[in-house]
Amino acid sequence: MTRVAAIDCGTNSIRLLVADCDPATGELVDLDRRMTIVRLGQGVDRTGRLAPEALERTFAACREYAAIIKEFGAERLRFVATSASRDAENRDEFVRGVLDILGVEPEVISGDQEAEFSFTGATKELTGRDDLTKPYLVVDIGGGSTEFVVGDDHVRAARSVDVGCVRMTERHLVPDGVVSDPPSEAQIAAMRADIEAALDLAEETVPLREAHTLVGLAGSVTTVSAIAQELPEYDSARIHHSRVSHDRVREITEWLLRSTHAERAAVPSMHPGRVDVIGAGALVLLSIMERIGAEEVVVSEHDILDGIAWSVA
């Protein structure tokens, strides 16, 4: 076993995994897995820069994670940064801060690299299952972008497009700096058109409709699963490899888009940092399912973070 640490810093959240990995057997044992909502991508779509307060929230989480990594004695650490830091003019400031705190330079990876990590993390443990037909379509719905990967044992095609729960919310649901509560039909229609255009782009290089099994990753998808199961609290064990039907995803999405902030916040499995952006994330998932005719989505708690850990091991 090799003890490794992986950090995934996205547009909405930063996550840590410390695990013991055995590449020979494919076994990955979690020692610590946690997530902090930092909203690093706050305003990036509008300003092109990382906001000072967003950077400080992220650096505070990094300091907390540094202590955990030291406590467990991880031999290797890899820090991967995704959509928001790819897009920001002042990403050097972000890189310097992380290096000072953690001693490693964050790798601002491409969308294609992000997709590769997501696919590995989501599918490595599905090998040998006869209830899930290949090829898989793995979709990782993040805050700023969504990754699409089609593959069986290996990646066949991948594409990252700039639609995510934070980006869509900020672009379409925040007139005059205040989140619409709930959004208007016109706002929802504009957001849906943006998502459909992104799906058109994805289909230029990724054969989305050839997939037989849809695997959904990240917080928007796992939260939809938690709501579908009416969980009294967020429960990773019950969410991991759960299945949610297309009809149930549609019902939940419609409710999220017509509900108020207070109603969404009252959902016991809802992370406070997702209350304002979950409607947009659910709409991305629903749009994908309708585009490919998926009857259900298989929900995975293992994603890019696990793929990063495997790359270190």
Side-chain angles (χ1 to χ4, degrees):
M1 287 284 196
T2 301
R3 182 159 296 182
V4 301
I7 294 176
D8 166 37
C9 185
T11 302
N12 196 42
S13 64
I14 183 170
R15 299 183 301 145
L16 168 70
L17 171 63
V18 182
D20 286 334
C21 302
D22 186 345
T25 63
E27 183 181 10
L28 185 149
V29 180
D30 284 17
L31 300 175
D32 195 293
R33 185 188 292 259
R34 63 184 63 202
M35 182 266 291
T36 308
I37 299 286
V38 294
R39 198 67 63 85
L40 178 62
Q42 170 192 332
V44 167
D45 192 56
R46 177 176 52 84
T47 67
R49 297 181 62 82
L50 298 168
E53 60 271 29
L55 283 168
E56 185 44 49
R57 289 192 298 266
T58 305
F59 294 155
C62 287
R63 286 187 281 271
E64 176 190 345
Y65 290 178
I68 295 164
I69 292 166
K70 182 178 180 181
E71 176 188 345
F72 280 102
E75 300 169 42
R76 305 173 191 167
L77 164 65
R78 189 170 191 178
F79 187 117
V80 166
T82 54
S83 179
S85 46
R86 271 201 305 270
D87 299 340
E89 294 173 4
N90 59 334
R91 66 184 186 184
D92 287 349
E93 186 179 347
F94 165 70
V95 170
R96 285 194 304 272
V98 171
L99 184 59
D100 287 345
I101 296 166
L102 288 161
V104 297
E105 188 169 312
E107 300 174 54
V108 182
I109 61 172
S110 69
D112 287 344
Q113 288 174 299
E114 191 174 345
E116 291 270 1
F117 284 142
S118 295
F119 186 81
T120 300
T123 64
K124 197 170 184 70
E125 63 187 341
L126 300 181
T127 303
R129 288 186 54 164
D130 55 11
D131 60 328
L132 298 176
T133 308
K134 298 175 184 177
Y136 307 116
L137 169 59
V138 175
V139 294
D140 186 341
I141 302 172
S145 61
T146 295
E147 282 64 55
F148 297 85
V149 195
V150 167
D152 29 54
D153 297 323
H154 302 284
V155 172
R156 284 168 38 186
R159 182 74 181 262
S160 176
V161 294
D162 283 341
V163 290
C165 59
V166 174
R167 194 185 296 268
M168 290 297 95
T169 299
E170 291 188 346
R171 186 176 293 174
H172 297 289
L173 307 183
V174 191
D176 305 317
V178 179
V179 178
S180 299
D181 190 27
S184 68
E185 289 299 321
Q187 287 175 311
I188 295 170
M191 183 164 59
R192 182 67 180 254
D194 215 353
I195 295 167
E196 292 294 337
L199 290 175
D200 290 341
L201 280 177
E203 280 203 290
E204 289 178 1
T205 50
V206 180
L208 304 181
R209 300 170 209 245
E210 291 182 11
H212 294 157
T213 299
L214 174 64
V215 182
L217 317 182
S220 292
V221 181
T222 58
T223 300
V224 166
S225 172
I227 296 171
Q229 298 181 67
E230 300 181 357
L231 298 180
E233 60 183 5
Y234 193 94
D235 185 338
S236 293
R238 291 183 63 181
I239 291 168
H240 188 48
H241 288 173
S242 61
R243 302 184 185 197
V244 187
S245 71
H246 167 264
D247 288 345
R248 193 76 177 103
V249 171
R250 186 184 68 250
E251 290 171 5
I252 291 167
T253 302
E254 290 174 353
W255 179 79
L256 289 169
L257 289 172
R258 68 170 182 266
S259 63
T260 64
H261 181 279
E263 289 170 332
R264 295 189 300 276
V267 175
S269 57
M270 182 79 68
H271 190 288
R274 296 204 185 279
V275 174
D276 287 334
V277 299
I278 184 61
L283 184 60
V284 174
L285 174 61
L286 177 63
S287 301
I288 293 167
M289 295 183 77
E290 291 179 349
R291 174 66 67 104
I292 69 173
E295 295 181 0
E296 67 175 11
V297 57
V298 178
V299 181
S300 178
E301 284 275 14
H302 292 183
D303 50 29
I304 186 174
L305 198 57
D306 301 75
I308 296 166
W310 281 117
S311 75
V312 179

